[in-house]
Amino acid sequence: MASISDTIWRLGPAPFVLKAIIFAVVADALLLAFILLRRIYRKRFFAKRDARVFALRQKWNELLSGSIPYSAWRANAFDRRIIETIALDALEAGSPEECAKILRFLRFSGLIEKRIFEARHFTGWRRLRALVALGRTRAPEGIHALGEALRDRDLEARLAALRGLSRAASPRAAEEILAWVSEKGLVVPALPLQSALIRCCAERPQILLPYVQNAQGPLREVLGRVLGEVATPSLGLDLLQFVGDDLDELRAAAARALSQSPSGISLDILNELARDSTWFVRLRAIVSLGKLSDRRAVPALLRGLTDSNRLVRFRSGEALVALNTEMVVIFQQVVATGDRYGLHAYVTAVENANLLEKLETNLQASASITRDEKERLLSVLMSGSLTAEQIASPLEVTKAAAPK
């Protein structure tokens, strides 16, 4: 009688194939069992969580007011996470009074201090979760902990801290970010850094100035764009140093800051910046000239109507319409430029201001122009375009219509 080993030997590789099939069937069965058990567990977990959320929602006012002692739920990790999530979600959409009440609850319950501790001492995903939660609170006491996390070796942790400081939107958060970039340089993508600084520096844009002056390379470009977005008229004199800067964003910031400085030097600088080679610098200069509402800015605004950029032409037209001066005289000068695109921009601005009928009436009633010139201007106004015959000598019309 042959032994079992002899039988297996005669079968060749068949036993190994059989074992492999059995192993695959068992592995598939175990995997399916794991998936099924996991789904059952998650279903029960979410059902339990939903029921607990509903129960805690019924007691939310008592929880916020402290009528229910903090010790009654803080030791329960399940309840604590739910309550913190509800509070943070309410902060996103609450009124200022409600947000103040929720922030007070987070402070007195110790949840903010707990997240600060976790942000400083935990690592990996636990630290990321703590940084995100701390940023959502917008609590001033968490700013320093978020600033410390900016120096983490992990890029995700740095970005989480940066987003948290951006939510705080306070000068203190801006100081933390600026101190970090001056120390480490540009070690995160430029867009989130720029967005965070715009939000944090809006209240006190002057804190940017020393960092812009000392920054170099790509970081200076980012800070220049931020300064261009947050510059205010109060920075007018401080930004004069950047009028001739090589960085376009800084020249644009200077133009924006001069928008409410009605002085001779401001007008001269804006006239110069309106000739800049970069379109958005010219745009900022034109917008600022329009805000000055000075008749001496008319030549620069007329020149803006002939600009190659559509936005510059449109803003020039709006600024000319907003000037407190004779509309007929301005319209004559616009037609005298002989620029069809400039004329279209001006007429569009007049229509948007609901002044088309007024301009037509003023043209018909004007006694300072000849009948032929009046008919020509009315024809141009109605058609919104220029023909070769309608374009008069620009030099003569400009001299005759120039404001006294």
Side-chain angles (χ1 to χ4, degrees):
M1 183 175 180
S3 64
I4 297 177
S5 60
D6 293 335
T7 305
I8 294 176
W9 177 261
R10 285 196 300 271
L11 290 175
F16 299 102
V17 175
L18 180 61
K19 290 179 180 180
I21 292 173
I22 294 174
F23 178 79
V25 171
V26 172
D28 290 342
L30 290 175
L31 179 61
L32 291 174
F34 171 76
I35 294 174
L36 181 62
L37 289 174
R38 183 174 180 270
R39 288 188 175 182
I40 293 173
Y41 170 78
R42 286 173 63 84
K43 182 178 180 180
R44 294 186 62 185
F45 172 80
F46 287 123
K48 177 184 175 183
R49 186 183 185 280
D50 182 64
R52 195 59 186 150
V53 168
F54 180 77
L56 291 173
R57 274 291 187 184
Q58 306 308 306
K59 305 174 183 178
W60 184 242
N61 291 331
E62 289 80 4
L63 287 168
L64 278 184
S65 63
S67 301
I68 298 177
Y70 302 136
S71 57
W73 53 266
R74 280 198 85 255
N76 188 325
F78 189 74
D79 284 356
R80 187 176 65 244
R81 284 196 295 269
I82 292 175
I83 291 172
E84 183 185 37
T85 301
I86 295 174
L88 293 178
D89 290 342
L91 275 177
E92 300 291 340
S95 64
E97 295 78 11
E98 292 174 345
C99 290
K101 186 186 297 184
I102 294 171
L103 192 57
R104 179 182 180 278
F105 164 74
L106 292 173
R107 284 196 181 104
F108 281 85
S109 63
L111 291 177
I112 291 180
E113 187 59 38
K114 184 178 185 300
R115 288 305 188 184
I116 291 175
F117 177 85
E118 292 174 351
R120 283 175 171 162
H121 297 92
F122 284 9
T123 58
W125 64 269
R126 290 184 176 181
R127 189 180 197 194
L128 286 177
R129 186 173 66 180
L131 290 171
V132 171
L134 188 59
R136 292 183 66 189
T137 65
R138 303 178 180 85
E141 53 265 47
I143 290 177
H144 189 63
L146 291 169
E148 293 176 358
L150 288 174
R151 294 158 177 82
D152 195 283
R153 290 179 297 177
D154 182 20
L155 176 60
E156 291 299 324
R158 295 197 299 268
L159 288 174
L162 186 62
R163 294 188 188 101
L165 290 170
S166 176
R167 286 175 176 270
S170 70
R172 279 187 58 199
E175 291 172 356
E176 290 285 349
I177 298 173
L178 290 170
W180 165 60
V181 296
S182 64
E183 174 188 341
K184 299 293 184 180
L186 190 61
V187 293
V188 293
L191 191 58
L193 175 62
Q194 180 179 324
S195 176
L197 284 174
I198 288 174
R199 293 192 63 182
C200 296
C201 295
E203 185 179 339
R204 283 175 51 198
Q206 59 269 23
I207 63 178
L208 274 169
L209 292 175
Y211 296 96
V212 174
Q213 293 168 349
N214 298 322
Q216 300 293 331
L219 178 59
R220 192 166 192 265
E221 295 181 11
V222 172
L223 296 182
R225 286 194 289 270
V226 174
L227 187 60
E229 292 295 327
V230 302
T232 60
S234 62
L235 295 178
L237 296 179
D238 294 322
L239 292 180
L240 290 180
Q241 58 185 309
F242 301 124
V243 169
D245 197 274
D246 294 335
L247 195 59
D248 302 334
E249 286 80 3
L250 291 179
R251 299 198 302 275
R256 180 175 183 173
L258 292 172
S259 61
Q260 296 186 15
S261 300
S263 62
I265 187 172
S266 297
L267 190 63
D268 293 339
I269 292 173
L270 289 174
N271 280 327
E272 179 184 348
L273 292 174
R275 300 174 182 268
D276 197 274
S277 59
T278 305
W279 71 269
F280 61 84
V281 178
R282 299 196 302 272
L283 178 63
R284 288 282 176 84
I286 290 296
V287 171
S288 295
L289 285 171
K291 290 182 178 180
L292 290 177
S293 299
D294 194 317
R295 296 183 63 185
R296 292 174 295 176
V298 169
L301 296 175
L302 289 171
R303 188 170 61 250
L305 282 178
T306 63
D307 195 274
S308 59
N309 186 274
R310 180 178 62 86
L311 289 176
V312 176
R313 295 195 300 269
F314 183 70
R315 290 297 187 180
S316 298
E318 286 185 336
L320 287 170
V321 171
L323 281 176
N324 188 20
T325 186
E326 179 60 42
M327 293 184 65
V328 174
V329 175
I330 295 295
F331 185 62
Q332 280 184 283
Q333 294 176 290
V334 172
V335 174
T337 62
D339 190 284
R340 292 179 174 84
Y341 296 109
L343 174 64
H344 181 267
Y346 180 78
V347 173
T348 301
V350 171
E351 290 178 342
N352 291 342
N354 294 322
L355 296 174
L356 191 60
E357 293 184 4
K358 179 181 178 181
L359 177 56
E360 183 181 354
T361 303
N362 290 348
L363 273 174
Q364 293 173 345
S366 178
S368 60
I369 54 179
T370 63
R371 181 177 179 181
D372 292 340
E373 176 69 7
K374 186 182 301 184
E375 292 178 354
R376 185 179 73 90
L377 292 176
L378 285 171
S379 175
V380 171
L381 180 62
M382 293 298 101
S383 64
S385 61
L386 289 167
T387 62
E389 293 77 12
Q390 288 173 328
I391 301 176
S393 173
L395 182 60
E396 295 178 1
V397 176
T398 302
K399 288 182 177 179
K404 304 298 182 181

